[in-house]
Amino acid sequence: MDLKRLRTFVAVADLGTVSKAALRLRISQSALSRQIADLELECGFKLFDRIGRRLFLTTRGEQLLGECRGVLGQIGSLAERIELLKRGDSGVLKIAAPPQTIESVLTAFLPRYAKSFPNVHVKLTEALGMDQVPLLERGEVHIGIRHDQGVNPWFESFALPSDDVLAASARSLPLGRNGMIDIAALASHPLLLLDSGYSVRRLFNAACRVADVEPDILLESRAPHTLLALAEAGHGVAVIPSVLRANRYRLKIARVTHRRKPLRDRYVIQWDKPRPMPGYAENFCATLAAYMREVLPITRPSSK
């Protein structure tokens, strides 16, 4: 079976039209249509039904699509392995990380890493924890830096220091004692929260349920620094991870606790075990893990 036809079939299934698939594959529409017709002839059944200008998979086409993706994924892994064997200590390293990790950790680490490994080009993708999973599984990134959100048997991990849940407010606001605030006391303040895509938000929500408190939510945002700016201006208390850099703001910081135990989540570097890892990626993981143990937490409770 011709791999070119399989790639054409998957492209048409993904995009829904011959014209879009032809543009992506850089072939003519007539050549693409012939490939689909040849594949249908080889299979002995129709793959698509045409409705208007769009093509929709038949029931048999839907069943075949998953098998085709698997075959192409295996071929891609083999090609990647061959390429990695040729490259040695040079190449592209693709990394996914949340925005606060890129800002607070990687901006300072990458220049240091580049001095030791000048032939490795690091390509960053901004992605929150759960959004990294499909990127790792499809091989679109080599490693992800994220909170450990459950055991995935296909992922290997480097454990990093825990990331604490912090409360940040204007310095004039009385916020907890001795650098700590219980979640029940915190819930009574107007809260500035990250949206549910952030691990710290899901951890905070779980702690609220356990503590049987209903938080007073003033704002939810995907931009951590929006919350810090509002907190500095006295509009509420921002709930943030300790990996977020907050030193540019005049804030009082307290560690959020429940029953005197800090709310915290394990931080990890992860990669998909079945996929090949270049040698320079493994070295990057070890070097970055050592650096993060050195600098985390980025933000700490206020001394006063």
Side-chain angles (χ1 to χ4, degrees), residues 8-16 21 48 54-55 57 65 69:
T8 300
F9 168 56
V10 171
V12 174
D14 286 343
L15 299 174
F48 295 99
R54 294 190 61 83
L55 295 175
L57 286 167
L65 180 61
R69 290 193 194 279

Side-chain angles (χ1 to χ4, degrees), residues 3-302:
L3 290 175
K4 184 185 297 183
R5 294 176 187 170
L6 298 188
R7 292 190 180 96
T8 300
F9 168 56
V10 171
V12 174
D14 286 343
L15 299 174
T17 68
V18 169
S19 58
K20 290 181 180 179
L23 187 62
R24 171 184 286 184
L25 298 174
R26 298 182 179 180
I27 62 174
S28 67
Q29 295 185 34
S30 58
L32 187 147
S33 296
R34 283 196 301 272
Q35 289 183 25
I36 293 297
D38 289 343
L39 182 59
E40 289 181 327
L41 182 62
E42 188 173 1
C43 292
F45 51 80
K46 286 183 63 177
L47 299 173
F48 295 99
D49 288 321
R50 182 180 291 276
I51 301 177
R53 294 184 176 181
R54 294 190 61 83
L55 295 175
F56 294 87
L57 286 167
T58 63
T59 300
R60 288 176 174 174
E62 289 180 355
Q63 294 173 343
L64 183 64
L65 180 61
E67 301 294 334
C68 289
R69 290 193 194 279
V71 170
L72 294 175
Q74 291 177 11
I75 294 297
S77 294
L78 176 60
E80 187 176 352
R81 168 62 72 183
I82 293 171
E83 185 64 23
L84 293 177
L85 290 173
K86 291 193 299 182
R87 287 180 181 175
D89 291 333
S90 64
V92 177
L93 177 60
K94 296 170 287 186
I95 301 170
Q100 69 270 17
T101 305
I102 294 174
E103 178 201 20
S104 299
V105 176
L106 296 182
T107 51
F109 171 76
L110 290 179
R112 178 190 297 191
Y113 179 78
K115 290 180 180 179
S116 300
F117 299 91
N119 296 323
V120 177
H121 174 65
V122 176
K123 181 179 179 182
L124 295 175
T125 297
E126 183 179 295
L128 299 178
M130 294 306 296
D131 297 335
Q132 293 180 21
V133 173
L135 299 179
L136 290 165
E137 292 175 339
R138 294 195 299 262
E140 294 178 23
V141 297
H142 292 109
I143 63 172
I145 307 168
R146 60 195 293 262
H147 292 93
D148 192 12
Q149 297 165 331
V151 177
N152 187 323
W154 299 107
F155 285 0
E156 191 68 69
S157 301
F158 258 103
L160 300 169
S162 297
D163 190 24
D164 288 352
V165 179
L166 303 177
S169 70
R171 292 183 177 180
S172 59
L173 181 68
L175 190 68
R177 297 178 59 186
N178 301 320
M180 295 186 294
I181 183 170
D182 186 84
I183 193 166
L186 178 63
S188 64
H189 293 278
L191 296 181
L192 308 164
L193 301 180
L194 293 164
D195 77 10
S196 59
Y198 284 84
S199 300
V200 66
R201 174 61 188 278
R202 288 195 290 273
L203 180 59
F204 180 78
N205 287 349
C208 285
R209 289 193 294 270
V210 170
D212 194 25
V213 295
E214 186 70 30
D216 177 13
I217 302 174
L218 180 65
L219 176 70
E220 297 174 278
S221 174
R222 290 185 68 87
H225 287 285
T226 297
L227 305 184
L228 294 180
L230 289 168
E232 182 184 41
H235 295 291
V237 179
V239 177
I240 60 170
S242 60
V243 73
L244 178 64
R245 191 176 299 279
N247 59 347
R248 73 180 71 166
Y249 303 92
R250 294 175 58 84
L251 294 165
K252 180 183 292 184
I253 306 293
R255 182 178 286 113
V256 182
T257 63
H258 175 55
R259 295 179 179 176
R260 299 183 179 180
K261 293 183 178 180
L263 299 187
R264 55 175 47 136
D265 208 357
R266 198 167 75 110
Y267 222 48
V268 293
I269 305 171
Q270 288 190 328
W271 61 93
D272 192 13
K273 286 190 289 187
R275 291 193 170 274
M277 277 274 283
Y280 52 80
E282 295 176 8
N283 184 283
F284 181 93
C285 289
T287 308
L288 178 61
Y291 175 78
M292 292 182 73
R293 292 188 185 100
E294 175 187 329
V295 301
L296 291 183
I298 300 292
T299 297
R300 302 171 184 270
S302 303

